Amino acid sequence: MNKGLVIVLSAPSGCGKGTILKEILDQSEDIRLSVSATTRSPRPGEEDGKDYFFLDRKEFEEMIQNGEMLEHAEYAGNLYGTPKGPVDAWSEDGIDVILEIEVQGGSQVKEKLPDCVSIFILPPSFAELNRRLHKRGTETEEVIRRRLALAKAEMEHAEDYDYIVVNNDLKDAVEDVKRIIAAEKLRYSRCSDTVERVLIDAETV
C-alpha cells in the first residue's frame, strides 16, 4: 500500500481556503483534515479531539521537545500546533491528510516532511481580495487594512510552495486542488514499489 499524501494548504484571509477545503472534504472519503492542538481553553460547543486537541502548556511544550509537533507557533499568549502522531498514522494507512496552516507553519512542515505537497491559494487580484474582505461587513476598516497588509506579506512566500491555485471560481479552484492531489499520487517516487513489482512479475512471464 502506498502512503497517503500530506498536503499543506495555505492562503491569506479572504481567499476562500476554508470553502475550498470544505468542498474537498465533502467530495472525498479518503482525505482527512488534521486536527490542531492548542493551549487555549475550549469555546462553547468545541470538542477535544474534533475541533482541537486541548492541552495545557506543559503538555504542549513536552510534545515540542519530544519532536511530536510538525509545526507550532504562539498567538495571543496561546500555543498552537499540528501533532505529528495522527498525521503519520493516517499517512501510513494510505489516507491523505490536509494541514490547513499559515505560511510560518507550512515552512516548518516542509522542513520536517520534504515529501509533502504544498498548495498556496491566491485571489484573482489584490483588488478582488480587498473587495471580498469589505463584502463580509463584519470587520472595521482598520482590521481590514491589517488583513490586507498580512496578506501581502504571506503572498511573498507563495514561491516556496509547489503549486498555486487561483480562486477566481470556486468550482474550478476545487477541481484544481483535486487534480494536483491526483497527479501527485502518480509521481514515480510514490509509485516505485508498483514499478518494481511489475518488473519482478515480468521475469516470470
Side-chain angles (χ1 to χ4, degrees):
M1 177 191 298
N2 291 332
K3 292 179 64 175
L5 301 177
V6 176
I7 304 152
V8 171
L9 189 67
S10 302
S13 176
C15 290
K17 175 184 60 176
T19 306
I20 292 172
L21 180 57
K22 182 179 183 303
E23 290 292 321
I24 295 291
L25 295 173
D26 286 347
Q27 297 176 27
S28 306
E29 295 181 356
D30 55 351
I31 297 180
R32 300 288 185 273
L33 176 64
S34 172
V35 178
S36 297
T38 182
T39 58
R40 75 163 173 77
S41 300
R43 292 168 182 159
E46 289 184 331
E47 297 180 31
D48 183 49
K50 180 180 178 181
D51 299 287
Y52 282 95
F53 293 109
F54 294 100
L55 308 174
D56 61 36
R57 181 170 283 267
K58 181 180 178 182
E59 290 175 314
F60 199 113
E61 291 176 343
E62 286 178 350
M63 290 184 70
I64 294 173
Q65 292 170 3
N66 295 332
E68 298 174 28
M69 286 289 179
L70 282 174
E71 56 84 27
H72 66 277
E74 184 163 357
Y75 299 100
N78 290 305
L79 293 168
Y80 294 83
T82 302
K84 188 173 183 289
V87 174
D88 287 346
W90 276 329
S91 180
E92 289 296 331
D93 286 342
I95 298 171
D96 299 330
V97 189
I98 295 182
L99 281 60
E100 182 188 9
I101 49 181
E102 35 66 51
V103 294
Q104 179 186 350
S107 176
Q108 293 179 47
V109 173
K110 285 182 284 183
E111 183 177 337
K112 294 177 181 175
L113 299 177
D115 199 36
C116 74
V117 180
S118 56
I119 305 171
F120 195 89
I121 309 295
L122 280 176
S125 68
F126 206 77
E128 174 61 15
L129 178 60
N130 184 32
R131 187 193 70 80
R132 290 178 184 178
L133 290 175
H134 278 89
K135 186 180 178 181
R136 290 176 174 178
T138 57
E139 297 170 330
T140 65
E141 193 65 31
E142 176 59 28
V143 170
I144 291 175
R145 280 198 297 269
R146 288 202 299 268
R147 287 196 181 278
L148 288 171
L150 178 59
K152 183 177 182 298
E154 290 175 329
M155 288 178 192
E156 292 175 353
H157 293 274
E159 64 181 9
D160 299 328
Y161 284 68
D162 299 319
Y163 297 93
I164 299 297
V165 171
V166 177
N167 185 16
N168 188 29
D169 176 84
L170 175 61
K171 183 178 179 181
D172 290 344
V174 169
E175 288 303 313
D176 284 343
V177 173
K178 290 168 64 177
R179 280 192 286 266
I180 289 168
I181 294 172
E184 280 291 331
K185 287 178 175 293
L186 301 178
R187 278 189 182 271
Y188 177 81
S189 60
R190 305 186 200 280
C191 301
S192 58
D193 289 348
T194 302
V195 175
E196 290 177 9
R197 187 175 67 251
V198 172
L199 288 174
I200 292 171
D201 184 59
E203 297 296 327
T204 66
V205 176

